[in-house]
Amino acid sequence: MRVGTPGFVPERLVEARAARGIASKSALARLLTVNASTVTRWEDGSSAPDAEALGALASALHVRREFFLRPIVNSMRPMFHRSLMSTLVRDIEYQHSQMRWLQEISGILEHYVDFPVVDLPDFLAGASYRQLRDDDIERIAIEMRRYWKLGEGPCGDMVALLERIGIIVGTIEMGTSKLDGLCSWSAEDRPHILLATDKMSFPRRQMDAAHELAHAVLHRDVTASELKENLKAIETQAFRLASAFLMPSTTYPSEVSRPSLASFLTLKARWRVSIKAQIRRLTDLEIIPEGYDTDLYKLYSAKGWNRQEPLDQEWPMNEPRLLRDALNVIVSAGVRTKNDLLAVEFTMSPKDIENLACLPQGWFTEKTGEVVQLKQLGERGSPKGDSSGEVVPFGRRQ
């Protein structure tokens, strides 16, 4: 008689299936050549796979066996995403599973390195998001810039800012243009942001990063039920704050001599925000006359800019560095080898970790070079007696 694996966590199977984009239990059953009812029992916890079946699951879902024996990384806080009515449930579940894996990776790494302290004060001063008016959001945007000493000009690198204030950022290919980003909090109350890499440009990433930051600022206490009930209003607030943060009301509008696509293109080169976002921003500020925004959007589409705007590929992509740097430090310092990390700490595949932590593809299979002490040569090429070197400081990342 076969006995199920003790300690099997059913939620882990649900999570892994979502992470691999397998839409249904029956689809997984076909992949494993077992009955659909068997997978159903594994996922609802009424039975557990035996050792042989567990190995088959691990192989099919590209995880280690131990993956199914660890508790799921979960937070009671909701996940904010710009869900549309036409968005497939499978895509949303995939995004949620990747967010939990991002939180799991950062939680493991935080045992070895000190991440920046979360520097996210209560800009609402105790008020509820329900009480916010447009003027309040504009004020909060200015306060955020002043608090983080960003000035009131064009914002530099949003991803670097997020990491500087203690937010963990990861990236994945969403596989759909209807999902751009996700914001959530870990059980340790650290914000995590997941950004899409699909059809990405620097201006789009800037806006996506600012949008998710807006959720972290405005909606940190929103419950899952509130998010479901008030999703449209919550998303409107996040977009307004993101736009106000990237294009402050105190400076950006004064540079708009005449609302036209040509002038927006010139401003894009300086402010590095999309032309479409500029039209929306000036409409929100009532600088563009009523109805004229529709004409601008029509002309915008006629030029084909809804597919790709001019200057989109002008700037290199801003990639997260915090998790990548943490892994490099852990390995280079000899605290853990890459094999140790895969065999002991992580249970998902190397490719998953490389994607979420923005590591180069194949990082885990690259050999780590040994640290060699170079001799210092004297005037005639002979080694000096003193082998000490000079410490050269690296410049701070802007």
Side-chain angles (χ1 to χ4, degrees):
M1 178 180 177
R2 291 183 171 184
V3 179
T5 303
F8 178 79
V9 181
E11 294 84 0
R12 279 295 222 178
L13 176 54
V14 177
E15 180 181 82
R17 179 166 62 79
R20 300 300 175 226
I22 301 174
S24 64
K25 293 184 280 289
S26 58
L28 177 58
R30 288 192 296 271
L31 186 64
L32 297 169
T33 63
V34 299
N35 291 328
S37 59
T38 300
V39 176
T40 298
R41 290 195 296 273
W42 290 343
E43 290 198 2
D44 66 21
S46 57
S47 70
D50 59 22
E52 182 181 349
L54 189 70
L57 277 175
S59 177
L61 297 171
H62 307 292
V63 295
R64 290 200 294 123
R65 290 168 176 260
E66 290 83 357
F67 174 88
F68 300 103
L69 306 179
R70 291 187 181 180
I72 192 169
V73 174
N74 207 356
S75 170
M76 300 303 293
R77 312 283 283 276
M79 296 191 188
F80 295 90
H81 52 78
R82 280 160 277 181
S83 174
L84 303 177
M85 293 298 293
S86 58
T87 303
L88 295 176
V89 172
R90 179 187 64 192
D91 292 331
I92 295 176
E93 290 178 345
Y94 166 75
Q95 202 177 29
H96 285 195
S97 68
Q98 294 296 312
M99 171 59 83
R100 285 192 289 269
W101 284 8
L102 177 67
Q103 293 178 356
E104 183 171 349
I105 291 170
S106 73
I108 290 170
L109 295 183
E110 205 161 6
H111 288 119
Y112 297 98
V113 298
D114 290 323
F115 290 141
V117 175
V118 177
D119 186 16
L120 202 64
D122 181 11
F123 291 105
L124 276 65
S128 166
Y129 76 97
R130 295 174 181 270
Q131 300 171 289
L132 296 177
R133 301 165 300 177
D134 290 342
D135 288 347
D136 297 320
I137 293 176
E138 296 291 335
R139 172 184 51 77
I140 290 171
I142 298 300
E143 289 178 0
M144 289 164 61
R145 278 177 161 264
R146 289 173 180 168
Y147 180 80
W148 292 314
K149 297 179 172 60
L150 300 178
E152 296 183 13
C155 190
D157 184 340
M158 279 298 306
V159 173
L161 170 64
L162 295 178
E163 294 189 321
R164 176 165 67 84
I165 63 176
I167 297 176
I168 302 296
V169 184
T171 62
I172 57 166
E173 183 177 352
M174 300 290 184
T176 173
S177 60
K178 296 173 182 176
L179 294 171
D180 300 309
L182 184 68
C183 176
S184 187
W185 284 259
S186 65
E188 293 75 28
D189 211 32
R190 182 182 290 274
H192 285 61
I193 288 176
L194 197 54
L195 299 174
T197 60
D198 311 56
K199 299 180 180 179
M200 190 51 58
S201 66
F202 182 88
R204 179 173 174 179
R205 174 155 290 180
Q206 288 282 93
M207 182 58 74
D208 288 346
H211 186 105
E212 302 310 326
L213 173 61
H215 281 309
V217 169
L218 299 179
H219 306 127
R220 62 199 307 170
D221 295 322
V222 170
T223 64
S225 60
E226 283 181 313
L227 177 61
K228 185 175 181 180
E229 293 171 6
N230 303 308
L231 177 61
K232 185 176 180 180
I234 287 170
E235 282 300 306
T236 299
Q237 286 184 348
F239 187 85
R240 180 72 182 243
L241 181 57
S243 299
F245 188 75
L246 293 177
M247 295 170 278
S249 59
T250 53
T251 51
Y252 166 77
S254 64
E255 297 188 17
V256 183
S257 57
R258 181 176 177 272
S260 68
L261 297 188
S263 65
F264 296 152
L265 182 56
T266 300
L267 288 167
K268 179 177 180 176
R270 168 168 156 73
W271 288 86
R272 300 189 181 186
V273 290
S274 72
I275 295 169
K276 190 172 185 179
Q278 293 183 65
I279 297 173
R280 171 71 179 273
R281 177 65 172 145
L282 294 172
T283 302
D284 286 344
L285 293 174
E286 300 181 354
I287 292 173
I288 290 180
E290 184 177 354
Y292 186 48
D293 60 327
T294 303
D295 296 335
L296 288 171
Y297 284 131
K298 287 180 179 178
L299 182 57
Y300 177 91
S301 297
K303 288 179 174 290
W305 290 358
N306 52 332
R307 293 185 294 274
Q308 180 172 311
E309 289 187 9
L311 302 180
D312 269 355
Q313 306 307 316
E314 187 71 17
W315 305 284
M317 186 60 62
N318 43 347
E319 297 287 357
R321 293 175 51 177
L322 193 58
L323 296 182
R324 182 189 70 191
D325 290 350
L327 280 161
N328 279 315
V329 165
I330 291 168
V331 172
S332 63
V335 178
R336 284 286 195 186
T337 67
K338 293 179 180 181
N339 287 337
D340 284 341
L341 290 170
L342 292 177
V344 178
E345 295 289 10
F346 299 123
T347 56
M348 63 280 289
S349 76
K351 185 177 179 181
D352 292 313
I353 303 163
E354 289 166 358
N355 286 340
L356 287 165
C358 293
L359 289 164
Q361 187 175 358
W363 183 83
F364 277 99
T365 57
E366 292 177 351
K367 290 186 177 180
T368 305
E370 295 182 7
V371 178
V372 179
Q373 177 75 36
L374 295 178
K375 293 181 179 180
Q376 289 187 310
L377 300 180
E379 293 181 359
R380 295 187 179 181
S382 59
K384 290 184 178 179
D386 183 7
S387 62
S388 63
E390 179 185 359
V391 177
V392 180
F394 287 95
R396 290 186 64 187
R397 182 185 178 201
Q398 299 298 321

